[in-house]
């Protein structure tokens, strides 16, 4: 397990602390559950070197051992970090960039739909911190390693929930800790995903000259991990699975495809839908370049203490 400023090593061929070269290196957040876990399994079977930030050390160890049993030719590093805390995200990104010679793909997959307002100890709204601020900061901190790869990719998991984002207000939305109800939470969740799309498009412009790509995607409706904060989530998930509604394999397949397929070589600044993996036109104002740049600047200013 990788803790504070310490590389644990990789788990491969039944041995620990074995450095593995020449494998594709993929950083994947949110891998201990939901879509992320399915994607992690697929990448392990591909034989990549997985770098997995996790919040829970025990679950991270369980996942690493599962992936080792599934595909011994893969490599797995597990780093412990709380993605709701910018200090942790900053340290995590610095540690990753220092621990590997490059990062070929960064997949910002971790996400949270909070049905009640919660602020972090750093004074930020938790859902905004996890869904948008953490991917922005982690991408910046990992950028030195991404730049060392040939055609490094950033893949951000967004959502069509972004079409129901309410009213966008910058920079106040980034730090808004006002109370909200479960019903109001949907628009706030959608807003975080709208910001992910805007961030991706601005990142694509800023990194194109370096040969990097940045794309985001909508994984569709998935029952895996559905409404973890709702008391009726588990029985609802069982019903939906029985009706074959919300198969998470579709969303996981798209994440894997955008992250690794040669069909996306050189493709950048796209918002890709789960149906047929075709580009989508995002909800207004996601495509507004002036607002994308303003969002970038506002986010950079907010996160300056941790950059």
């Amino acid at each position: 397990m990788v803790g504070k400023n310490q590389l644990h090593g990789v788990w491969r061929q039944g041995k620990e602390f074995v450095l593995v070269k020449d494998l594709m290196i993929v950083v994947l957040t949110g891998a201990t559950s939901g879509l992320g876990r399915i994607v992690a399994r697929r990448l392990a079977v591909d034989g990549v070197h997985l770098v997995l930030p996790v919040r829970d050390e025990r679950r991270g160890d369980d996942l690493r051992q599962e992936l080792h049993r599934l595909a011994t030719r893969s490599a797995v590093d597990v780093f412990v970090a709380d993605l709701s805390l910018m200090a942790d995200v900053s340290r995590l990104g610095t540690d990753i960039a220092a621990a590997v010679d490059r990062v070929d793909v960064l997949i910002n997959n971790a996400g949270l739909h909070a049905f009640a307002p919660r602020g972090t100890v750093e004074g930020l709204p938790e859902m905004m911190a996890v869904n948008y601020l953490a991917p922005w900061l982690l991408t910046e901190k990992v950028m030195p390693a991404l730049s060392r790869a040939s055609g490094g990719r950033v893949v951000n998991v967004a959502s069509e929930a972004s079409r129901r984002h309410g009213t966008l207000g910058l920079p106040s939305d980034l730090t808004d800790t006002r109370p909200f109800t479960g019903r109001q939470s949907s628009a706030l969740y959608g807003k975080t995903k709208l910001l992910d799309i805007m961030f991706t498009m601005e990142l694509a412009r800023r990194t194109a000259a370096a040969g990097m790509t940045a794309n985001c995607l909508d994984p569709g409706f998935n029952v895996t991990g559905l409404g973890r904060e709702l008391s009726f989530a588990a029985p609802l998930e069982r019903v939906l699975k029985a009706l074959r509604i919300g198969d998470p394999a579709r969303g996981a397949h798209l994440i894997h495809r955008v992250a690794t397929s040669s069909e996306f070589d050189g493709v950048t600044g796209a918002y890709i839908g789960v149906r047929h993996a075709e580009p989508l036109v995002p909800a207004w104002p996601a495509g507004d370049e002036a607002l994308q740049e303003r969002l970038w600047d506002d986010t950079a200013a907010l996160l300056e203490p941790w950059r």
Side-chain angles (χ1 to χ4, degrees), residues 128 132 162 168 170 173-174 190-200 295:
M128 183 65 71
Y132 169 65
S162 58
L168 181 64
L170 295 176
D173 282 340
L174 303 179
K191 186 172 294 183
T192 66
K193 293 304 179 179
L194 179 79
L195 299 185
D196 284 334
I197 296 171
M198 296 172 69
F199 156 54
T200 303
L295 172 63

Side-chain angles (χ1 to χ4, degrees), residues 11-22:
W11 184 293
R12 185 172 187 257
Q13 303 294 350
K15 300 177 181 179
E16 292 190 48
F17 303 100
V18 179
L19 297 179
V20 182
K21 297 182 179 180
D22 302 324

Side-chain angles (χ1 to χ4, degrees), residues 205-270:
R205 282 196 299 277
R206 290 173 180 247
T207 58
M212 295 173 54
T213 64
N215 296 296
C216 55
L217 59 89
D218 165 48
F221 173 70
N222 299 278
V223 300
T224 303
L226 175 69
R228 287 169 289 182
E229 299 186 17
L230 297 175
S231 60
F232 55 85
L236 177 59
E237 183 172 328
R238 289 193 293 270
V239 170
L240 292 176
K241 282 184 176 179
L243 296 174
R244 297 183 179 180
I245 297 173
D247 182 3
R250 295 173 66 240
H253 174 71
L254 180 62
I255 296 171
H256 178 267
R257 184 174 173 182
V258 176
T260 65
S261 175
S262 60
E263 70 185 292
F264 289 100
D265 286 351
V267 175
T268 193

Side-chain angles (χ1 to χ4, degrees), residues 10-273:
V10 300
W11 184 293
R12 185 172 187 257
Q13 303 294 350
K15 300 177 181 179
E16 292 190 48
F17 303 100
V18 179
L19 297 179
V20 182
K21 297 182 179 180
D22 302 324
L23 296 182
M24 175 185 284
I25 302 175
V26 180
V27 179
L28 169 65
T29 67
T32 57
S33 63
L35 292 176
R37 198 174 190 106
I38 300 173
V39 174
R41 291 170 182 155
R42 293 189 178 189
L43 290 169
V45 171
D46 289 345
V48 309
H49 179 168
L50 278 165
V51 178
L52 306 177
V54 303
R55 182 173 181 172
D56 185 288
E57 182 172 347
R58 179 187 58 79
R59 294 179 69 186
D61 274 333
D62 289 346
L63 176 59
R64 184 173 59 174
Q65 293 180 51
E66 174 190 336
L67 297 177
H68 171 63
R69 290 191 297 269
L70 181 65
T72 56
R73 69 192 182 97
S74 66
V76 182
D77 273 324
V78 177
F79 287 69
V80 178
D82 183 343
L83 297 184
S84 72
L85 301 178
M86 297 304 102
D88 257 25
V89 175
S90 179
R91 185 262 310 163
L92 168 69
T94 299
D95 286 354
I96 290 174
V100 296
D101 61 355
R102 72 185 188 284
V103 168
D104 296 293
V105 185
L106 167 62
I107 306 174
N108 288 307
N109 163 74
L112 167 72
H113 185 154
F115 289 87
R118 290 189 296 268
T120 71
V121 296
E122 295 169 336
L124 298 170
E126 183 186 42
M127 187 157 55
M128 183 65 71
V130 173
N131 293 359
Y132 169 65
L133 297 175
W136 195 101
L137 184 57
L138 181 60
T139 301
E140 180 178 72
K141 302 299 285 190
V142 174
M143 191 60 65
L146 281 163
S147 66
R148 293 194 292 265
S150 176
R153 298 186 184 189
V154 177
V155 179
N156 295 323
V157 178
S159 172
E160 280 290 78
S162 58
R163 299 193 184 279
R164 302 176 295 278
H165 64 267
T167 302
L168 181 64
L170 295 176
S172 58
D173 282 340
L174 303 179
T175 55
D176 187 0
T177 56
R178 289 177 296 177
F180 59 82
T181 65
R183 183 182 295 273
Q184 292 169 330
S185 70
S186 294
L188 294 174
Y189 172 79
K191 186 172 294 183
T192 66
K193 293 304 179 179
L194 179 79
L195 299 185
D196 284 334
I197 296 171
M198 296 172 69
F199 156 54
T200 303
M201 293 181 172
E202 181 66 19
L203 177 66
R205 282 196 299 277
R206 290 173 180 247
T207 58
M212 295 173 54
T213 64
N215 296 296
C216 55
L217 59 89
D218 165 48
F221 173 70
N222 299 278
V223 300
T224 303
L226 175 69
R228 287 169 289 182
E229 299 186 17
L230 297 175
S231 60
F232 55 85
L236 177 59
E237 183 172 328
R238 289 193 293 270
V239 170
L240 292 176
K241 282 184 176 179
L243 296 174
R244 297 183 179 180
I245 297 173
D247 182 3
R250 295 173 66 240
H253 174 71
L254 180 62
I255 296 171
H256 178 267
R257 184 174 173 182
V258 176
T260 65
S261 175
S262 60
E263 70 185 292
F264 289 100
D265 286 351
V267 175
T268 193
Y271 174 41
I272 302 161

